[in-house]
Amino acid sequence: MSAPDDAYKGYRDPTLSTMRRFEATVWSKVRAHTTRGTFEGLVLPRSEIADAEHVVLKLQSGYNVGLRHDTIENIEVLGYREAVYRVPEEEFPSDPTKPRVRLFGTGGTIASRLDYRTGAVIPAFTPGELYGSVPELADICNLETEKLFGVFSENIGREHWLTLAERVVEAIEEGYDGVVVGHGTDTMHHTAAALSFMVQDTPIPIVMVGSQRSSDRPSSDAARNLLAATWTAAHGPIAEVMVCMFGPTSDTYNLLHRGTRVRKMHSSYRSTFRTIGDIPLAMVTEGHLSPLKTGWRERRSDRPPQLHAVWDERVTILYYYPHMNPDVLDALVGCGYRGIVIAGTGLGHVNTKLFPAIERATAAGVQIYMTLQTLWGFVQMQVYETGREILARGVLPLANMLPEVAFIKLGWALAMHPDDPDAVAALMQENVTGEMTEREPHDGYLLFQGGVPEMRELLSRIRS
Ligand code: ASP
């Protein structure tokens, strides 16, 4: 077993020495007795980014556990089973009566069947690989796939947004009935916002999807999310940029969120995406969609949409904190930033210490916009003296636009009108694609933060 064993390379590697002492190798099935208890599982090759201190076991449950070498008292080797992390490829059946959907892969957990040795993401994105893993996809549509990038979503940025927007528009022009974009969940809402501004008036659904848990884990949401997203792209009536992710905490349905009103709100729950300041567009399962909201754009047969694939990277978000000193703002201006979105406190405030720095920034031609840390509710800068003072210094309020959405929009607006600050300001304050709403629904904040069935159940228990 030389190749995987190399993963535990190095003479002074304490984990390797421990494994050798007990004659265990990578892929050994072992029972490890440690000071923290006994664990039974398969020794996995070490990822390149893992440390030299732990043996990683894949337990029967599908979860991995890292055992620190100095807690290991004894290892019994029970057998040997080399895992094959290849996705079974089968030819995706083609059915001319079914809609055509284009799936773009960008990376993230949904694309990862983790190669434990390299830590690399294996692109499970050819139609054959997808069909091999989720054969039900073939009941929905003819799926054509393309891996655009293979990165975790913290590495997504300007170039990815531009390429993705261009490729999505090409797919629309080529006559696909829907587009699915597989993406890491961490920054999916940024990309959803970028696509919403860059691809306007789409005649077909553009559905972003990801998963919080990779498909080799028993509780993975990958297949469920993929099926719901693919069904929405193929058959759903809503022609917008949307995020389709797990709805409630139980495996009941997915929610469709508008691309400019959605946010990742939990670091590990599968039900992590929430519509903020509004209610989700719809509940969806593969085969059925119940609208929750009215006023969405309907699927059309005309094309093409408008493509505005531009973005100026000299924008930033300034998340205000008490005691913030003005040098932070001066530094941003000094670094050449042209647009700043402030996430302010309460109704849209920062401390008075920043006022001179705001004046210096706006005098230098930097555009400053106000959004809220509270996420729900509207910027209202006429209520308190502080707000009025900030307004008087040229900071423009952005209603209930989410800070990340405002950041993406500002980069886009600056690139749309590079030499016309008034046009940028007008565009920022115009509702282009649902990023600002007239009012927030009274039930949105309470009801749709959980899951609808769970809330009903909770309420009936409280009432009885
Ligand atoms: N870090 C991953 C990403 O955003 C997490 C995920 O995909 O859920 O790419």
Side-chain angles (χ1 to χ4, degrees):
M1 263 317 300
S2 65
D5 221 19
D6 284 350
Y8 286 89
K9 56 186 173 270
Y11 289 118
R12 264 176 264 113
D13 184 322
T15 307
L16 182 60
S17 320
T18 309
M19 299 239 299
R20 287 215 173 116
R21 187 145 51 94
F22 298 111
E23 292 177 355
T25 66
V26 168
W27 305 127
S28 291
K29 221 170 152 254
V30 298
R31 187 176 298 129
H33 303 276
T34 77
T35 51
R36 288 165 48 222
T38 301
F39 300 88
E40 212 171 293
L42 199 64
V43 179
L44 293 178
R46 179 191 297 158
S47 125
E48 275 163 10
I49 50 168
D51 63 33
E53 308 291 320
H54 294 83
V55 175
V56 180
L57 291 193
K58 184 164 216 53
L59 305 178
Q60 200 84 68
S61 64
Y63 287 93
N64 297 346
V65 65
L67 307 178
R68 227 190 111 84
H69 67 93
D70 51 7
T71 66
I72 298 174
E73 291 163 343
N74 183 25
I75 296 180
E76 293 172 65
V77 178
L78 308 173
Y80 179 85
R81 182 163 66 84
E82 184 162 357
V84 180
Y85 286 97
R86 279 221 51 208
V87 183
E89 277 233 39
E90 274 180 64
E91 201 174 326
F92 200 98
S94 145
D95 177 347
T97 64
K98 293 205 165 80
R100 277 173 76 211
V101 171
R102 185 107 178 128
L103 170 71
F104 291 112
T106 68
T109 302
I110 190 154
S112 31
R113 299 180 70 88
L114 216 49
D115 176 336
Y116 289 97
R117 189 162 55 84
T118 60
V121 170
I122 297 175
F125 262 113
T126 67
E129 284 168 327
L130 270 185
Y131 181 55
S133 345
V134 191
E136 300 91 325
L137 285 168
D139 301 334
I140 299 176
C141 62
N142 295 300
L143 195 65
E144 289 157 55
T145 65
E146 185 183 350
K147 182 189 165 197
L148 284 185
F149 328 112
V151 295
F152 285 117
S153 71
E154 54 274 25
N155 296 311
I156 294 271
R158 179 178 179 277
E159 307 311 324
H160 305 94
W161 296 324
L162 302 187
T163 305
L164 187 56
E166 282 159 10
R167 300 309 301 276
V168 164
V169 166
E170 274 169 34
I172 297 171
E173 287 171 350
E174 279 167 35
Y176 285 91
D177 297 291
V179 169
V180 176
V181 179
H183 197 286
T185 57
D186 295 355
T187 70
M188 191 188 293
H189 46 298
H190 294 80
T191 301
L195 276 183
S196 303
F197 295 115
M198 293 178 188
V199 183
Q200 288 177 33
D201 292 333
T202 172
I204 60 169
I206 301 171
V207 192
M208 299 204 58
V209 68
S211 72
Q212 281 280 82
R213 317 226 173 120
S214 60
S215 45
D216 53 347
R217 290 177 61 176
S219 60
S220 174
D221 46 342
R224 172 178 197 97
N225 289 345
L226 196 57
L227 284 166
T230 306
W231 186 86
T232 304
H235 301 280
I238 309 177
E240 297 200 17
V241 175
M242 295 169 276
V243 164
C244 177
M245 289 288 292
F246 227 76
T249 43
S250 54
D251 297 37
T252 333
Y253 57 85
N254 277 45
L255 284 171
L256 283 183
H257 307 275
R258 180 166 276 155
T260 50
R261 291 243 55 102
V262 63
R263 203 165 186 282
K264 182 170 180 175
M265 296 300 285
H266 199 286
S267 61
S268 57
Y269 279 15
R270 295 172 301 177
S271 53
T272 173
F273 279 88
R274 290 288 173 245
T275 287
I276 308 291
D278 208 342
I279 55 176
L281 293 166
M283 293 160 74
V284 62
T285 52
E286 162 213 349
H288 185 74
L289 182 145
S290 325
L292 293 170
K293 193 179 155 53
T294 53
W296 30 265
R297 286 165 185 264
E298 297 207 12
R299 183 190 276 280
R300 313 186 309 272
S301 51
D302 67 286
R303 32 201 92 197
Q306 297 169 38
L307 172 68
H308 306 287
V310 289
W311 201 75
D312 187 334
E313 66 181 357
R314 289 166 298 171
V315 287
T316 187
I317 303 184
L318 186 64
Y319 194 92
Y320 175 76
Y321 46 84
H323 200 85
M324 182 178 273
N325 284 317
D327 55 357
V328 176
L329 193 47
D330 289 329
L332 290 173
V333 177
C335 287
Y337 282 87
R338 296 183 59 216
I340 299 173
V341 171
I342 298 180
T345 57
L347 296 171
H349 301 144
V350 294
N351 65 19
T352 51
K353 276 197 283 183
L354 291 193
F355 291 1
I358 292 176
E359 281 167 27
R360 287 191 289 275
T362 49
V366 177
Q367 302 221 351
I368 310 186
Y369 293 88
M370 184 62 76
T371 61
L372 302 180
Q373 293 177 11
T374 59
L375 303 179
W376 284 84
F378 286 75
V379 178
Q380 293 180 59
M381 296 169 75
Q382 300 287 1
V383 177
Y384 291 96
E385 177 75 19
T386 312
R388 286 197 287 269
E389 295 271 3
I390 298 170
L391 275 180
R393 286 166 173 82
V395 174
L396 295 172
L398 289 182
N400 67 342
M401 204 187 304
L402 295 169
E404 297 87 358
V405 174
F407 159 74
I408 296 285
K409 185 177 179 185
L410 185 52
W412 173 75
L414 282 167
M416 288 290 284
H417 302 291
D419 305 313
D420 189 346
D422 293 341
V424 174
L427 189 56
M428 284 305 288
Q429 294 186 93
E430 178 193 325
N431 180 23
V432 175
T433 177
E435 69 275 21
M436 289 181 275
T437 63
E438 237 167 76
R439 67 185 75 84
E440 294 188 350
H442 67 280
D443 53 357
Y445 179 65
L446 295 176
L447 198 57
F448 292 98
Q449 287 303 301
V452 179
E454 283 150 325
M455 280 303 290
R456 279 199 199 115
E457 194 201 308
L458 179 72
L459 290 175
S460 67
R461 259 192 284 133
I462 293 170
R463 285 191 189 124
S464 63

